[in-house]
Amino acid sequence: MKNIFLLSFTFLLFSAFTIIKFDGKKDKEKINTVLDSWHKAAAEAKYNNYFNFMTEDAIFIGTDATENWDKAEFQAFAKPFFDKGKAWIFSPLERHIYFDKTGEVAWFDELLNTQMKICRGSGVLIKIGEEWKIKHYILSMTIPNDNVDEVVKVKSAIDDELLISLKKQSR
């Protein structure tokens, strides 16, 4: 009986500590700082800073259908841009951040002012110790619904070729 009481008490203390440890407001601030600093590192062409915000197994998905890179592939793609002293400038316009129940995983979506006009970024961050790291990021261009048909016409030939290639790969 004494052991059950001690075990229950220990569990309650551990649970209380876990709940107290997660501070959604504080973690949102940390995530906003990470994402803002990440975008700033790209704008200032600070290659190491930029990639240090990402986990080692991070994935970056770009606007082109062929851009689905692990971190090493994305680094190879991005290096020439950073080496020229100008990568890309993404200025957040709006951002929403959400957490899982543990407070160790967060996901977000953001609207960005970019050289491609308004884009949407979305992704997943994980908490490693007290630090948030980007594990998965997707950049997409926004298209007004009234203009979808025009955009489809522009990209049809390229997409048709890619569809044939992807269908062959899936066999």
Side-chain angles (χ1 to χ4, degrees), residues 72-86:
E73 292 166 331
F74 184 45
Q75 286 176 293
F77 166 81
K79 184 110 172 71
F81 295 98
F82 282 83
D83 286 348
K84 289 178 188 170
K86 185 178 181 190

Side-chain angles (χ1 to χ4, degrees), residues 36-51:
D36 290 344
S37 298
W38 188 56
H39 291 315
K40 185 177 184 209
E44 295 175 352
K46 293 183 177 175
Y47 182 86
N48 290 331
N49 290 1
Y50 183 82
F51 286 100

Side-chain angles (χ1 to χ4, degrees), residues 146-166:
D146 291 343
N147 299 102
V148 168
D149 290 340
E150 296 168 59
V151 173
V152 169
K153 285 178 190 173
V154 170
K155 65 187 219 109
S156 275
I158 295 167
D159 280 3
D160 288 344
E161 286 182 34
L162 186 56
L163 283 167
I164 291 168
S165 173
L166 291 170

Side-chain angles (χ1 to χ4, degrees), residues 139-150:
L139 179 66
S140 55
M141 295 179 72
T142 59
I143 302 166
N145 290 330
D146 291 343
N147 299 102
V148 168
D149 290 340
E150 296 168 59

